[in-house]
Amino acid sequence: MNWDLPNVHVLEFVVPAEAIDVMGHVNNTEYLRFMEQIAWDHTTVLGLGWDLYQKLNRAMVARRTEVDYLAPAFEGEKLIIGTWIVNNDERISITRRYQIIRESDGLTLLRGRTQWVCVALDSGKPRRMPAEFLKGYQVTAAEA
């Protein structure tokens, strides 16, 4: 795979029928689901799952997402999605990048990025990241 950055965290999946829209390809909103899936997968691998979020009364929520749709995907295709943490301000936010590649031809179908903000679960208000988040959400790849 031709990843944009090193140290990629990957998740593979096959496009399900329910992701297809009336135009016969993956609906644009489904890509956001794919991005959220890998963000949670990576978060869990980093040791920062939902149980810890609840214990710390903190969570990372999406503040801004940018997506470049480069080519369509179709039902039954195997996709490989990669993610990196490219920024951590060590206060309240991180930035995560994404790249989705079709396995059969290696074509990049999507590039995206999300700014995630730390909030208190009980209020939804922005709060400083606890030490566990600072340690776990370290930058995994520097942007060029």
Side-chain angles (χ1 to χ4, degrees):
M1 293 293 116
N2 189 18
W3 297 108
D4 292 341
L5 299 170
N7 303 318
V8 65
H9 175 80
V10 299
L11 186 62
E12 299 178 0
F13 58 94
V14 176
V15 175
E18 57 271 14
I20 304 304
D21 64 18
V22 296
M23 294 186 62
H25 57 69
V26 173
N27 185 275
N28 60 308
T29 61
E30 294 298 320
Y31 288 103
L32 295 175
R33 291 182 210 281
F34 300 160
M35 292 161 61
E36 182 183 21
Q37 281 181 293
I38 194 165
W40 265 118
D41 186 70
H42 191 215
T43 292
T44 302
V45 167
L46 295 172
L48 301 170
W50 181 244
D51 289 343
L52 183 62
Y53 273 33
Q54 291 178 303
K55 177 183 171 189
L56 298 172
N57 186 36
R58 293 292 186 276
M60 299 302 285
V61 298
R63 179 172 188 204
R64 176 179 172 81
T65 299
E66 300 172 22
V67 179
D68 292 319
Y69 302 99
L70 305 172
F74 303 94
E75 182 179 351
E77 290 185 326
K78 185 174 182 182
L79 304 181
I80 305 172
I81 183 169
T83 192
W84 306 263
I85 297 170
V86 296
N87 185 42
N88 181 331
D89 71 4
E90 299 186 354
R91 294 187 321 272
I92 67 164
S93 72
I94 66 168
T95 302
R96 182 182 286 282
R97 278 194 37 191
Y98 310 89
Q99 183 180 0
I100 298 179
I101 296 175
R102 182 171 36 229
E103 184 188 57
S104 65
D105 60 5
L107 184 66
T108 294
L109 307 179
L110 175 145
R111 287 188 176 92
R113 65 189 309 113
T114 301
Q115 181 187 29
W116 296 88
V117 175
C118 185
V119 299
L121 283 172
D122 61 0
S123 69
K125 293 183 179 179
R127 294 290 184 259
R128 288 186 75 88
M129 285 187 273
E132 292 88 344
F133 283 26
L134 293 173
K135 181 181 177 188
Y137 286 122
Q138 292 184 16
V139 172
T140 58
E143 291 185 284

